[in-house]
Amino acid sequence: MPPTDETRRFTALSAVLTGFDPATLEATGLTEVYRAVAAERLGADRYARLVHAREPDDTMGGELRETARAVTYLWYTGSWPGTPPVTVSPRGYAEGLVWKAAGLRAPATDPQGYGSWAGAPARSGPGDQVEGSGR
């Protein structure tokens, strides 16, 4: 399914908020899922104000800044913030940008077999594909 203009806007916004390029975000396979979650959780008015903001930055007003933080949290953790946070899906956890930023695989998501802990983990830079992960 080709991305819609709305998904492209959400991806561009997400790239600014997360520091990861749009291709890396799209490679997670969660762009449309996260767009739908953000639209539902924020409500139509707040969501529209966020995705149509010229350039999200430190000068954003309080409510808009909080919505930007929520979307960033979603991308990095695979969960929507709250008490407790709401996990979107197991895939969201595994594809969380926190793991990509650290150059690691999400724990318990990519078993390597017996003895795999004996060696140093494969590392990469932010947004790079982790060697041997198939992602």
Side-chain angles (χ1 to χ4, degrees):
M1 180 163 105
T4 64
D5 285 342
E6 191 66 25
T7 301
R8 282 189 203 93
R9 270 195 293 277
F10 179 76
T11 304
L13 166 74
S14 296
V16 170
L17 294 175
T18 65
F20 282 85
D21 62 80
T24 300
L25 299 178
E26 290 167 359
T28 66
L30 294 163
T31 308
E32 181 55 33
V33 171
Y34 285 174
R35 189 209 59 77
V37 168
E40 176 188 333
R41 293 288 180 155
L42 296 173
D45 183 52
R46 285 193 312 164
Y47 175 79
R49 282 188 285 140
L50 181 63
V51 296
H52 292 95
R54 291 212 184 267
E55 185 73 20
D57 58 23
D58 290 337
T59 63
M60 296 171 112
E63 183 185 27
L64 194 56
R65 183 178 308 167
E66 287 305 311
T67 60
R69 284 184 182 150
V71 170
T72 305
Y73 186 91
L74 176 63
W75 276 106
Y76 272 84
T77 67
S79 301
W80 189 259
T83 307
V86 178
T87 302
V88 173
S89 72
R91 183 173 180 186
Y93 167 76
E95 293 291 336
L97 296 180
V98 66
W99 309 118
K100 290 176 182 17
L104 302 170
R105 292 182 182 100
T109 61
D110 196 12
Q112 298 298 309
Y114 182 77
S116 64
W117 59 86
R123 299 210 178 251
S124 66
D128 289 345
Q129 187 172 359
V130 176
E131 288 181 23
S133 71
R135 288 185 228 161

